[in-house]
């Protein structure tokens, strides 16, 4: 009986060892690929708060922009393997849509500086990032002139076998945009007076509003 148990334990250990070894080998030979993108800047060129008149005007190509903004989008290859042109399905580009017209790309910065920035073009107010090489840990920042609120980032990726993850970054402009979206939703709220509930929850939508003025 003891001999049988010893053989069984030995076989189980050998099987587990082989399975773990195979998993580690596969993980080493096929490391996870991950592309992260983030919205790192969205700043109005006319008025930081977006309210009140201003004498400043911004024009591009002879056309006056009504809501000019500077928007920066960051891409980062977080994996340990390069993302190559072959990773782009059917040679399709990455599409960046801000729900506003992208007027021009002001600059493209790549870190490290030895890594070539990806090729790109603009079409119908969207940024198209062409199939390009992104080295491990390479970071690319596109700085763009935009006309519009640009409060919604849509990132469409044709990358095969690459996890695409949005990084959350928050700044003053993000807080302002969040407040405006909440305020817009509250316009049709039916609110409960402060005397009824301390937090003044709007019965219609669950928004919060201070009725004390």
């Amino acid at each position: 009986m003891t001999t049988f148990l010893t053989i069984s334990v030995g076989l189980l250990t050998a099987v587990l060892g082989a399975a773990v070894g195979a998993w580690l080998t596969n993980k080493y030979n096929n490391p996870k690929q991950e592309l992260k993108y983030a919205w790192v800047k969205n700043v109005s060129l006319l008025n930081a708060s977006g309210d009140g008149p201003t004498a400043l005007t911004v024009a591009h190509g002879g056309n006056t922009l009504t809501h000019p903004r500077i928007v920066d989008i960051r891409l980062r290859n977080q994996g340990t393997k390069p993302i190559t042109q072959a990773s782009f399905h059917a040679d399709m580009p990455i599409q960046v849509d801000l729900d506003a017209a992208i007027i021009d790309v002001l600059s493209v910065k790549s870190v490290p500086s030895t890594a070539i920035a990806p090729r790109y073009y603009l079409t119908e107010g969207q940024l198209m990032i062409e199939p390009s090489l992104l080295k491990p840990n390479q970071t690319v920042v596109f700085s763009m002139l935009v006309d519009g609120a640009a409060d919604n980032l849509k990132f469409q990726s044709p990358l095969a076998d690459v996890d695409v993850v949005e990084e959350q970054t928050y700044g003053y402009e993000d807080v302002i945009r969040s407040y405006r979206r909440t305020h817009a939703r509250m316009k049709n709220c039916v609110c409960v007076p402060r005397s009824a509930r301390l937090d003044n929850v709007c019965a219609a939508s669950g928004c919060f509003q201070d009725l004390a003025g």
Side-chain angles (χ1 to χ4, degrees), residues 8-190:
S8 298
V9 171
L11 288 173
L12 180 60
T13 302
V15 170
L16 289 176
V20 171
W23 179 79
L24 290 174
T25 299
N26 181 70
K27 184 176 178 63
Y28 178 79
N29 292 330
N30 300 282
K32 179 182 178 181
Q33 290 185 279
E34 185 175 76
L35 177 68
K36 290 189 175 183
Y37 68 96
W39 196 339
V40 294
K41 182 189 290 185
N42 187 344
V43 179
S44 172
L45 293 179
L46 296 184
N47 192 292
S49 66
D51 301 317
T54 176
L56 178 67
T57 59
V58 177
H60 182 275
N63 298 317
T64 300
L65 308 183
T66 55
H67 300 288
R69 309 184 72 83
I70 299 296
V71 176
D72 287 3
I73 301 296
R74 182 180 67 208
L75 306 182
R76 177 162 49 211
N77 181 2
Q78 196 73 12
T80 57
K81 289 179 61 178
I83 297 174
T84 66
Q85 182 174 345
S87 301
F88 290 72
H89 175 69
D91 281 336
M92 296 174 61
I94 294 172
Q95 301 180 36
V96 178
D97 185 354
L98 299 175
D99 269 356
I102 300 176
I103 304 301
D104 197 5
V105 176
L106 304 178
S107 67
V108 182
K109 296 180 180 179
S110 179
V111 178
S113 58
T114 54
I116 299 175
R119 302 181 304 273
Y120 66 91
Y121 60 93
L122 298 178
T123 181
E124 297 181 354
Q126 298 181 0
L127 174 67
M128 302 293 184
I129 303 173
E130 297 186 56
S132 305
L133 172 66
L134 291 172
K135 294 184 176 181
N137 297 316
Q138 179 181 355
T139 298
V140 181
V141 177
F142 290 87
S143 184
M144 297 167 286
L145 175 63
V146 174
D147 192 19
D151 57 1
N152 187 26
L153 170 60
K154 298 177 183 177
F155 192 92
Q156 293 183 306
S157 167
L159 294 172
D161 301 323
V162 177
D163 291 337
V164 179
V165 180
E166 181 177 5
E167 291 184 284
Q168 297 297 327
T169 57
Y170 297 96
Y172 173 77
E173 285 284 323
D174 300 291
V175 175
I176 294 297
R177 287 195 302 274
S178 177
Y179 167 79
R180 288 175 182 165
R181 286 194 294 266
T182 302
H183 181 71
R185 292 196 300 268
M186 288 168 56
K187 288 182 178 179
N188 296 322
C189 288
V190 177

